[in-house]
């Protein structure tokens, strides 16, 4: 009998090592260049133009924290253009629910930034034509490496077919490959501070 658990444990250990390396790299760059995060955030705001999202459209995004690629300027640009932006809220049970962004954010008890508006529940995401998701890395097949909690994998697995999903990473975090488990959900493209990179659709996708 093949022990499949060994392969799963090896994959998880590889993911953990890669996460540590990527997070350490982000911290080191921020320490070397205090302006690095702000510059990356300003460049990422151009995604509002490149994705051709018009007034009245609905986008799901997120409020960045720490050394994540900054989304603050992007959120404000989308809001000013009349795009309706959904942001996630981590609810009891470690599930993501959603609320509309109105220019205001508040810190959560888990160190995240959340919108202040009425909570809409998980099903609100179905209204989004485009979903921007955080990531530590994404590979050339669109396989995404998150932080390991699985929030976004559950969200993406429940999305209606045909939704555009874009992972937001730094340029050097688009890798040849990342370790993947069966529950990991792919993305269609990656947005870095310098480019929007589309990935080929998987067979049958």
């Amino acid at each position: 009998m093949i022990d499949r658990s060994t392969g799963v444990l090896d994959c998880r250990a590889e993911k953990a090592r890669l996460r540590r390396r990527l997070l350490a790299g982000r911290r080191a760059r921020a320490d070397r260049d205090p302006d690095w995060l702000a510059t990356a955030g300003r460049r990422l705001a151009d995604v509002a133009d490149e994705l051709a999202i018009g007034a009245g459209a609905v986008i799901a995004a997120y409020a960045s924290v720490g050394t994540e690629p900054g989304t603050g300027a992007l959120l404000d640009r989308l809001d000013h253009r009349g795009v309706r932006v959904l942001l996630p809220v981590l609810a009891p049970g470690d599930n993501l629910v959603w609320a509309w962004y109105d220019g205001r954010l508040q810190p959560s008890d888990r160190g995240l930034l959340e919108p202040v508006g009425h909570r809409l529940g998980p099903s609100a995401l179905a209204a989004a034509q485009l979903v921007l998701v955080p990531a530590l890395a994404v590979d050339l097949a669109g396989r995404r490496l998150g932080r390991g909690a699985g929030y976004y994998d559950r969200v993406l697995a429940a999305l209606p077919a045909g939704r555009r999903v874009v992972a937001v990473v730094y340029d050097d975090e688009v890798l040849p490959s990342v370790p993947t488990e069966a529950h990991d959900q792919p993305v269609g493209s990656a947005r870095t501070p310098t480019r929007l990179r589309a990935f080929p659709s998987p067979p049958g996708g």
Side-chain angles (χ1 to χ4, degrees):
M1 173 181 279
I2 298 175
D3 186 356
R4 298 184 184 277
S5 64
T6 300
V8 170
L9 291 174
D10 288 345
C11 181
R12 291 178 180 172
E14 186 179 356
K15 283 182 171 181
R17 288 191 294 270
L18 182 55
R19 288 188 184 104
R20 288 193 295 270
R21 178 171 69 81
L22 292 165
L23 288 168
R26 288 182 175 183
R27 289 191 296 268
R29 281 179 292 185
D31 289 341
R32 288 195 304 268
D33 181 3
D35 295 328
W36 168 66
L37 289 173
T39 299
R42 287 193 297 270
R43 291 175 175 171
L44 283 170
D46 292 336
V47 75
D49 304 316
E50 294 179 11
L51 292 172
I53 299 299
V58 176
I59 283 183
Y62 65 97
S64 59
V65 294
T67 58
E68 289 180 329
T71 62
L74 169 62
L75 296 178
D76 287 339
R77 185 177 297 187
L78 291 169
D79 187 49
H80 292 158
R81 290 181 55 174
V83 176
R84 304 180 69 198
V85 181
L86 286 166
L87 294 182
V89 177
L90 189 56
D94 287 345
N95 294 311
L96 292 184
V97 298
W98 302 87
W100 296 113
Y101 176 62
D102 65 0
R104 298 176 296 163
L105 295 169
Q106 62 186 5
S108 75
D109 58 3
R110 300 203 194 185
L112 303 175
L113 290 175
E114 298 177 343
V116 301
H118 174 69
R119 281 25 181 171
L120 300 173
S123 62
L125 187 62
Q129 292 91 49
L130 171 72
V131 182
L132 298 175
V133 297
L136 290 175
V138 62
D139 72 13
L140 300 178
R143 292 182 288 256
R144 170 185 168 272
L145 179 71
R147 290 179 179 262
Y151 308 136
Y152 276 94
D153 287 315
R154 293 192 291 273
V155 163
L156 297 181
L159 273 181
R163 291 297 188 271
R164 299 169 68 191
V165 181
V166 181
V168 182
V169 293
Y170 295 104
D171 290 275
D172 60 355
E173 294 170 348
V174 179
L175 306 178
S177 65
V178 298
T180 307
E181 297 176 76
H183 66 269
D184 292 326
Q185 297 296 310
V187 299
S189 56
R191 182 57 167 90
T192 76
T194 64
R195 65 184 295 193
L196 177 66
R197 182 166 188 167
F199 303 122
S201 298

